[in-house]
Amino acid sequence: MEGLADGAGGGQSHLRWRQWALWTRTEAGGTSSKVVPEELDLVRSPGGAKLTRFLVDEGPASATEQVPQETWQGEVPQSVDALRAWLRSRTPGVDGPAGAAEAVHDLVTERVLSPGQRAAVLRLLAALPGMAVSGEVVDRAGRPGVAFSADSAAGGLPTRYTFIVDPVSGQLLGQEETLTESAGKLNVPVPSVIGYDAYLVAQQAP
């Protein structure tokens, strides 16, 4: 991966990703849950950052908002130990699957990573307790990849955290969270996917 062309640099970046999140509502009659899909398009330039949200499968409605400049400070480290420490400053639980999933999602939806930085992310994920290869898969955007998974109950319920990687470029294609043993008070079957992100575009202007 380190030998691939570096995509970082330049004054404008474009990130686009699709996410599915479990939305739960509790009323007198009980708890109802559904997955709400949306697509997000983030363009950052020296003049500011603009985020556009599109509802998926619910018509053409969209909403655009100005968002702050990057909340991560400094360059993304290319060594796994330095990256772990850098991520820990914002996500203390990065040493476990739940915290790492949160930290990596936040990172790849804010920054366009170079091959060396992507390699550091993959090494960090590979070092997580219980991480194992799940096998070859096709992600939610129809792209072939290799899935790696680890289980954790740090979020409150036993959950499997899965990361899908392009085996050629090392690009993180997506993440998935699946309840494995209990849904708690959520009105969903087990096993059940409760969150998914598909990373579609990561481009930096030359």
Side-chain angles (χ1 to χ4, degrees):
M1 281 176 293
E2 289 91 335
L4 297 175
D6 194 331
Q12 179 169 300
S13 64
H14 178 204
L15 295 163
R16 191 178 185 97
W17 68 99
R18 182 173 291 185
Q19 64 185 28
W20 291 257
L22 186 67
W23 179 83
T24 301
R25 181 171 61 187
T26 301
E27 298 176 324
T31 300
S32 61
S33 300
K34 68 176 182 177
V35 173
V36 179
E38 62 180 351
E39 198 159 298
L40 299 96
D41 192 90
L42 175 64
V43 176
R44 293 189 184 276
S45 66
K50 183 175 71 173
L51 177 69
T52 304
R53 297 175 180 268
F54 305 87
L55 293 178
V56 178
D57 301 328
E58 294 188 19
S62 66
T64 301
E65 58 187 284
Q66 297 296 121
V67 296
Q69 284 292 350
E70 298 172 352
T71 56
W72 295 107
Q73 300 297 317
E75 287 294 317
V76 181
Q78 296 192 42
S79 99
V80 64
D81 291 337
L83 176 65
R84 186 180 293 111
W86 189 74
L87 293 175
R88 191 182 291 122
S89 67
R90 178 164 140 176
T91 310
V94 71
D95 297 291
E102 177 186 353
V104 170
H105 166 78
D106 290 348
L107 177 61
V108 300
T109 56
E110 288 192 22
R111 294 287 188 94
V112 178
L113 303 182
S114 72
Q117 292 163 344
R118 294 200 298 267
V121 169
L122 295 186
R123 292 190 181 104
L124 181 145
L125 295 177
L128 292 174
M131 182 64 74
V133 179
S134 301
E136 296 181 356
V137 298
V138 175
D139 80 346
R140 304 284 174 134
R143 301 168 296 184
V146 178
F148 302 83
S149 301
D151 293 352
S152 172
L157 293 171
T159 302
R160 176 160 297 140
Y161 296 88
T162 298
F163 304 86
I164 301 174
V165 178
D166 184 319
V168 176
S169 68
Q171 192 82 26
L172 184 63
L173 301 178
Q175 296 179 222
E176 184 172 310
E177 297 179 14
T178 305
L179 296 180
T180 57
E181 298 178 18
S182 170
K185 296 182 179 180
L186 302 176
N187 186 24
V188 296
V190 175
S192 186
V193 176
I194 58 170
Y196 192 94
D197 297 279
Y199 305 118
L200 306 175
V201 175
Q203 297 175 337
Q204 192 87 34

